């Protein structure tokens, strides 16, 4: 069996394209149902965050598997099908393994060293288990990715100053305004990054 990965991230696609492909739990389940009917596709993990959407699969044939993943994405509502290939990257076998290790370790994140991605990868793995997408191959792959991520965080200084996009945004605001207490802010969005930004602002005296 081969391992393949098909995805889109902040390096490859602008936010207006990424948000159209973003998968909530219902859309992820729908994608699992679509791909469950594909012959030669045995295992599947779907990772969707604010900066990336990635599909990891255990397949019989890499080319056929990639075609199946792209075709399944094209069946989702609001999928920007026209010209989508220029925003996607595809990896197989060793390259796919290397990629998930980098993702889980936050080496491929917009802010290198951010702590949220490992939890998001673990959530994607847990969801795939519930949906029946985990078999021997992807189970071993993701368990090894979690081990690699832990080693990166404990054996290097990557997590010395734990950061996130929200943290960086608040730090920039502090440089612009010096003192944030008494300032008024508007946070647009209701996701995890918005919540972290709100907590950071409150911690810096914003009421």
């Amino acid at each position: 069996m081969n391992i393949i990965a098909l995805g889109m991230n902040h390096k490859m696609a602008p936010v207006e394209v990424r948000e159209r492909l973003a998968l909530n739990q219902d859309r992820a389940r729908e994608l699992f149902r679509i791909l469950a009917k594909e012959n030669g596709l045995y295992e599947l993990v779907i990772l969707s965050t604010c900066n990336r959407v990635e599909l990891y699969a255990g397949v019989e044939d890499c080319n056929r598997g990639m075609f199946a993943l792209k075709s399944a994405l094209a069946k989702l509502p609001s999928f920007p099908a026209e010209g989508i290939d220029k925003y996607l990257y595809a990896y197989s076998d060793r390259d796919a393994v290397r990629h998930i290790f980098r993702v889980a370790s936050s080496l491929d994140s917009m802010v290198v060293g951010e702590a949220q991605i490992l939890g998001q990868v673990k959530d994607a793995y847990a969801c795939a288990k519930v949906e029946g997408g985990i078999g021997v191959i992807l189970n071993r792959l993701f368990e090894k990715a979690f081990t690699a991520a832990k080693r990166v965080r404990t054996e290097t200084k990557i997590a010395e100053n734990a950061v996130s996009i929200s943290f960086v945004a608040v730090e920039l605001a502090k440089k612009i305004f010096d003192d944030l207490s008494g300032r008024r802010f508007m946070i647009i969005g209701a996701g995890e990054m918005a919540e972290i930004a709100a907590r950071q602002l409150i911690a810096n005296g914003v009421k």
Side-chain angles (χ1 to χ4, degrees), residues 187-198:
I187 299 175
I188 300 174
E192 183 181 359
M193 290 296 104
E195 181 180 345
I196 293 171

Side-chain angles (χ1 to χ4, degrees), residues 113-126:
E114 58 96 359
Q116 285 76 34
I117 186 61
L118 179 56
Q120 292 166 330
V121 174
K122 287 183 176 180
D123 288 345
Y125 170 76

Side-chain angles (χ1 to χ4, degrees), residues 6-110:
L6 179 72
M8 169 192 295
N9 64 11
H10 59 281
K11 299 176 184 176
M12 297 292 291
V15 65
E16 61 268 20
V17 174
R18 298 199 308 271
E19 67 185 5
R20 290 175 65 187
L21 193 57
L23 301 170
N24 58 26
Q25 286 190 343
D26 290 339
R27 294 183 81 193
R29 290 192 189 99
E30 182 183 352
L31 198 56
F32 270 110
R33 287 193 292 269
I34 292 171
L35 287 167
K37 301 174 184 177
E38 289 290 337
N39 292 325
L41 196 153
Y42 302 106
E43 303 179 32
L44 178 68
V45 173
I46 300 172
L47 172 63
S48 182
T49 75
C50 57
N51 282 321
R52 71 178 65 245
V53 175
E54 296 180 339
L55 310 180
Y56 296 87
V59 298
E60 194 173 89
D61 179 85
C62 290
N63 291 331
R64 185 177 174 183
M66 289 293 187
F67 180 80
L69 296 184
K70 287 184 182 181
S71 298
L73 287 176
K75 294 176 183 177
L76 294 174
S78 78
F79 179 75
E82 188 174 346
I84 192 63
D85 283 352
K86 66 182 179 181
Y87 299 120
L88 296 173
Y89 45 82
Y91 301 112
S92 60
D93 297 325
R94 184 183 294 271
D95 290 334
V97 172
R98 182 176 183 270
H99 182 69
I100 186 56
F101 279 29
R102 287 180 55 82
V103 170
S105 302
S106 80
L107 296 176
D108 195 60
S109 296
M110 183 178 289

Side-chain angles (χ1 to χ4, degrees), residues 170 179-185 198 200-207:
V170 173
D179 183 10
L180 298 187
S181 59
R183 299 284 181 176
R184 293 186 179 186
F185 287 84
Q200 291 287 342
L201 289 168
I202 292 169
N204 282 277
V206 176
K207 296 181 180 180

